[in-house]
């Protein structure tokens, strides 16, 4: 019998305990041993809750108890769980965590500390989708060319609504909050930070890149308007919040932002709260992994899969490699990223304006792929929409500043990156 | 250093050798050891070929050589590879195979023989998609409710063409043969046998069902006409060749056939030669795994992933469970399967015909969900198209025989099963 201690018994923690009890038959058959949840730690023992295991308010007790063989960390936060996970590993106990923020900041230290002790984290990225296993094991023969993931269900739900029903951002956000898909303060989701934590984890497995959230582009979906959605469609694109990690000549690009992607690509077809991660390997070609990204049971399913692997005696190197990845690829700095862009401007409707705009772009070496001119609500204004050929982020940022200074350009300039 | 011997050095075998050599850096980093292909066995040493490893025409030499640590079986066929794989396992050597036919017939004997020796077979189902790993490891906390897979690229390519371009079966087959997507004798693919072998493997991992191809429904796509495709669309469906394994009250249904599935479902959106497997777990909900199902490099990618797992020291139970699955679910006999059906009949255009047809269906307890009447090319004939509510396969087969005997029904009756 293998005994499980759980740090943090909220929705996911209770699901883990419940599934271990309710699906005990199949889990024992697959793992070869009975797996039993024995103890959980919570902050406040007085808070009424409906849980299936004995509780303590001392997380140290879970770690130190001779009765606990494997520690599951589901507390959230960064520094406190870091200290506790560290303590468990130092005590020689395998750890399973779903904590993406912890890993976004401390995965390399934890790998060091873990050594041969299993530290698994399938649930930290895209909930129920076994994408860590796929990258760490299933695609191990491949140099990874790119990872593109829809890794935040809140954003995908909102964008799907905006795309399919033409609803504006503010209205969709309100609705998502009412449905419980978005938090009262939605910044962590809609600002791209949640997806960025997940991307950094995948980027480490694929490329061995030790980057922190502060070092990569993280943008959200707050600026997307129905106009952008509509024009994306005219250009043959859908708009998704993507986490992208991609190998290029200068190194590895990692970034999270609203992205226009071809409507025909598989990942563009992923709607609602579902998540999906597309991985291109140099040998396997394109693969995609689709499923629920959140929810107590889906996340617990991944946590338990990790426990089963540990019980089977499989360790696997934490980040997927036992020796340093020889590629030694550097992280491409945000301003050196090269991609295609969509630009939206509102300009005065008078002769010579288009020439001014395009020649400004030309000054920064930016060439136009396609252009659309649309009437504005105001009679003497028009909207100009461009997609550009590939250019460097730095040049694009400079060009946008220059465009804003033109006296014929009104309001802010909207920019959305394109991935083909 | 770990040394690999390859039985059968055709397209996939040569890809395995080549990728092990060309991606040696990343594979060593991930596995922790150098992995080197050292010897291959082929039938005819005189056939000119361009391969990267020394060859022998004695497969026994590959198995017995003290220089070979892991045996890769890529020969095809059933009984000969069975004897060789057995011999390798009995000599204590881990085996990796891509041979679905071998496993469709001998997976349980091989599991017995293997015991604690790793016998891995990720490449046997859906080529580059790590679906075996997902089922065996990633979803291990779940009772599997259903598996629905597009597992034959030839059929999916052909159906996509028929759906998107309205081309007839015979014409698409000819084109697929010219492009090398279909064999000169295409029966193994278009008749559903290839998909059935794969389904049986997945069915064992999910349900512990020891079924042989002869015990399940295996139908192909030969009878699908542009009319069916067109009418499927009117009913909101796409037609795909699916392998289905599904838990119900009476046990586990396993079947391969052309299937109408809702056009909005993710798996309906999988086009061309690509494969995809949708797995619903009782805890995780719906997941889907998408990627290339064939091709030397994609298949070799899966073979090497298995080798890396073995080198890391991970074994995992061959069929995903260490003790018998307690469920003890039986295989539902083909005639006891319950599903919805689409029926197409050509009938005389005269009063009372519709009543005759529907009352015949009623006699067998079959109730109609929707109906469509379309003009036929012949003036005095019409086409009747039905979808039915759920009924037992046995009743449906009997009803079809009774319909054929009605003097107002012309030609054969087309039946396609529906999955929602």
């Amino acid at each position: 019998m293998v005994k499980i201690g759980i740090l943090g018994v909220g929705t996911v923690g209770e699901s883990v305990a419940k599934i271990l009890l309710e699906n005990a038959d199949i889990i024992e058959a697959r793992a070869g041993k009975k797996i039993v949840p024995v103890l959980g730690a919570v902050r406040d023992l007085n808070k009424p809750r409906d849980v299936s295991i004995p509780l303590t308010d001392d997380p140290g007790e879970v770690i130190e108890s001779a009765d606990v063989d494997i520690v599951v960390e589901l507390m959230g936060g960064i520094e406190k769980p870091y200290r506790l996970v560290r303590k468990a590993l130092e005590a020689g106990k395998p750890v399973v965590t779903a904590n993406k923020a912890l890993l976004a900041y401390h995965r390399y230290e934890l790998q060091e500390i873990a050594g041969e002790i299993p530290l698994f984290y399938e649930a930290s990225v895209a909930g129920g989708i076994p994408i860590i296993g796929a990258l760490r094991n299933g695609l191990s023969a491949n140099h990874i060319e790119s990872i593109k993931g829809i890794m935040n269900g809140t954003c995908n739900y909102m964008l799907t609504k905006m795309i399919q029903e033409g609803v504006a951002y503010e209205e969709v956000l309100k609705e998502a909050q009412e449905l419980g898909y978005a938090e009262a303060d939605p910044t962590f989701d809609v600002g791209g930070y949640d997806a960025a934590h997940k991307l950094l984890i995948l980027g480490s497995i694929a490329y061995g890149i030790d980057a922190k959230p502060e070092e990569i582009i993280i943008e959200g979906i707050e600026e997307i308007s129905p106009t952008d959605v509509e024009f994306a469609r005219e250009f043959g694109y859908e708009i998704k919040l993507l986490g992208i990690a991609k190998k290029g000549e200068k190194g590895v690009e990692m970034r999270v932002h609203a992205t226009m992607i071809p409507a025909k690509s598989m990942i563009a077809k992923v709607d609602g709260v579902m998540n999906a991660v597309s991985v291109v390997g140099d040998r396997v070609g394109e693969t995609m992994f689709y499923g629920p990204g959140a929810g107590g049971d889906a996340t617990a399913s991944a946590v338990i899969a990790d426990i089963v692997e540990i019980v089977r005696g499989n360790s696997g190197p934490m980040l997927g490699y036992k020796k340093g990845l020889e590629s030694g690829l550097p992280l491409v700095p945000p301003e050196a990223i090269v991609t295609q862009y969509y630009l939206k401007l509102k300009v005065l409707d008078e002769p010579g304006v288009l020439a001014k705009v395009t020649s400004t772009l030309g000054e920064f070496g930016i060439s136009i792929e396609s252009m659309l001119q649309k009437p504005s609500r105001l009679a003497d204004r028009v909207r100009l929409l461009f997609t550009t050929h590939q250019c460097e982020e730095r040049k694009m940022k400079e060009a946008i500043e220059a465009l804003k200074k033109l006296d014929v350009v009104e309001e802010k300039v909207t920019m959305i990156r394109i991935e083909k």
Side-chain angles (χ1 to χ4, degrees), chain A:
Chain A
M1 190 167 80
V2 178
K3 289 171 240 158
I4 308 298
I6 303 174
L7 304 175
V9 190
T11 313
V12 177
E14 170 55 11
S15 276
V16 169
K18 207 177 44 155
I19 296 174
L20 283 174
L21 297 169
E22 292 175 2
N23 281 8
D25 58 342
I26 198 126
I27 293 169
E28 183 184 350
R30 290 185 178 140
K33 289 183 189 162
K34 266 195 208 313
I35 301 175
V36 184
V38 293
L39 186 61
V42 296
R43 199 175 309 172
D44 180 3
L45 278 174
N46 296 317
K47 193 174 147 191
R49 51 185 107 216
D50 182 23
V51 298
S52 332
I53 49 169
L55 295 177
T56 169
D57 59 2
D58 175 12
E61 194 186 329
V62 172
I63 292 167
E64 285 151 25
S65 166
D67 240 17
V68 169
D69 302 308
I70 297 174
V71 174
V72 174
E73 186 277 304
L74 304 167
M75 303 170 62
I78 298 177
E79 295 311 324
K80 194 176 171 195
Y82 177 54
R83 283 193 302 275
L84 291 165
V85 167
R86 198 180 165 124
K87 215 169 138 188
L89 291 169
E90 285 166 354
K93 295 196 181 179
V95 174
V96 175
T97 178
N99 188 332
K100 53 195 174 281
L102 168 66
L103 295 169
Y105 284 95
H106 291 303
R107 60 199 181 282
Y108 284 91
E109 293 97 313
L110 286 171
Q111 177 174 244
E112 273 294 305
I113 297 161
E116 293 297 306
I117 314 286
L119 170 53
F120 281 9
Y121 50 96
E122 182 60 79
S124 67
V125 178
I129 310 173
I131 178 65
I132 308 275
L135 263 183
R136 199 166 54 171
N137 308 329
L139 303 177
S140 60
N142 294 264
H143 291 281
I144 302 301
E145 296 187 342
S146 69
I147 297 172
K148 293 176 191 168
I150 294 175
M151 298 185 288
N152 183 278
T154 308
C155 288
N156 207 49
Y157 170 82
M158 291 175 61
L159 288 170
T160 302
K161 276 269 172 185
M162 290 168 70
I163 291 167
Q164 292 180 352
E165 299 170 22
V167 194
Y169 173 81
E170 293 72 20
E171 200 179 320
V172 180
L173 175 59
K174 218 180 124 200
E175 197 188 310
Q177 284 168 326
E178 282 164 11
L179 286 166
Y181 291 156
E183 309 280 337
D185 175 0
T187 319
F188 190 65
D189 289 315
V190 301
Y193 302 100
D194 170 74
H197 289 169
K198 296 166 182 170
L199 179 71
L200 289 169
I201 296 170
L202 298 184
S204 280
I205 303 173
Y207 302 111
I209 295 274
D210 181 8
K212 296 278 182 292
E214 295 73 24
E215 296 170 76
I216 67 169
I217 293 176
I218 304 178
E219 294 173 9
I221 61 168
E222 303 98 325
E223 303 294 324
I224 307 296
S225 74
T227 323
D228 301 320
V229 167
E230 183 189 320
F231 294 155
R233 186 151 289 172
E234 294 198 37
F235 286 123
Y237 296 113
E238 296 273 2
I239 301 180
K240 296 285 179 191
L241 182 82
L242 290 191
I244 299 171
K246 203 163 94 169
K247 197 169 64 172
E249 282 173 23
K250 290 182 287 184
V252 175
E253 295 183 6
M254 292 179 75
R255 45 198 167 98
V256 173
H257 49 69
T259 315
M260 288 194 186
I261 45 173
K264 286 187 172 182
S265 61
M266 264 316 271
I267 204 163
K269 299 173 186 171
V270 174
D271 289 336
V273 294
M274 299 302 273
N275 284 18
V277 183
S278 152
V279 182
V280 178
D282 65 344
R283 303 303 167 143
V284 73
E286 192 195 353
T287 58
M288 193 182 85
F289 306 87
Y290 166 90
D297 278 5
T299 309
S301 165
V303 168
I304 295 173
D306 279 351
I307 295 174
V308 169
E309 279 297 277
I310 292 169
V311 173
R312 282 175 176 166
N314 296 339
S315 64
M318 181 196 156
L319 293 173
Y321 41 93
K322 295 202 165 186
K323 302 190 169 190
L325 292 182
E326 284 178 28
S327 54
L329 293 168
L331 180 69
V332 175
E335 66 277 11
I337 278 169
V338 173
T339 189
Q340 291 184 259
Y341 298 84
Y342 153 94
L343 292 178
K344 179 178 70 181
L345 298 83
K346 191 184 276 182
V347 297
L348 296 183
D349 187 12
E350 55 180 49
V353 168
L354 186 58
K356 274 191 191 173
V357 168
T358 53
S359 74
T360 301
L361 288 172
E363 282 166 30
F364 293 91
I366 297 168
S367 67
I368 292 163
E369 185 197 47
S370 63
M371 202 210 68
L372 202 61
Q373 179 168 329
K374 289 260 174 179
S376 169
R377 264 159 298 173
L378 300 170
D380 57 344
R381 304 284 187 283
V382 292
R383 282 193 186 285
L384 290 182
L385 299 127
F386 300 97
T387 62
T388 75
H389 288 292
Q390 290 212 324
C391 74
E392 233 189 30
E393 180 93 0
R394 181 187 297 113
K395 293 285 181 192
M396 178 52 69
K397 288 277 169 80
E398 288 169 5
I400 289 171
E401 287 313 304
L403 286 172
K404 282 184 187 165
K405 284 183 193 136
L406 293 181
D407 52 5
V408 296
V409 173
E410 304 255 311
E411 290 181 347
K412 65 168 193 281
V413 175
T414 300
M415 174 269 274
I416 301 178
R417 297 175 193 83
I418 298 171
E419 275 289 316
K420 283 192 175 163

